[in-house]
Amino acid sequence: QVQLVESGGGLVQAGGSLRLTCAASGRTFSNYGMGWFRQAPGKERDLVAAISSIGTTTYYADSVKGRFTISRDNAKNTLYLQMNSLKPEDTAMYYCAATRGLYSRTNYNYWGQGTQVTVSS
């Protein structure tokens, strides 16, 4: 079992930046692939970015490529999402998730409670 707690969300103007943090506890963090998902009201939850267990492989949704950066610090059991050049359409609840596989874009087993990101125009 892995417990995940997100932080760092908030209200920001368009063009601004935020860094989301996901603190993990429980099992060995470096054994899990990780991802950031987001869900806007009335929409499905979508994968924003993913990173392999040791950080060598990453994935980004087309909508955030070049603006968001996923990273992890396995020594600190922490996952990050640096979000730059934010747009109003980035407004959503952001979730951190862990997969028992070393890397995945689809199958995630553990979820955090989410942190709200709101981008004003």
Side-chain angles (χ1 to χ4, degrees), residues 20-38:
L20 304 184
T21 298
C22 174
S25 61
R27 298 293 181 93
T28 305
F29 181 63
S30 59
N31 287 345
Y32 295 86
M34 300 295 295
W36 286 101
F37 290 74
R38 69 185 180 188

Side-chain angles (χ1 to χ4, degrees), residues 71-120:
S71 61
R72 64 190 297 161
D73 185 336
N74 285 347
K76 296 182 178 179
N77 292 347
T78 304
L79 177 73
Y80 304 99
L81 185 68
Q82 178 66 44
M83 305 187 295
N84 298 329
S85 302
L86 282 160
K87 304 175 181 180
E89 51 263 42
D90 294 319
T91 295
M93 184 72 77
Y94 283 71
Y95 298 91
C96 164
T99 175
R100 287 194 284 262
L102 299 180
Y103 173 75
S104 178
R105 293 193 213 173
T106 56
N107 297 319
Y108 283 80
N109 309 104
Y110 306 104
W111 297 84
Q113 82 290 348
T115 186
Q116 178 67 38
V117 171
T118 303
V119 185
S120 64

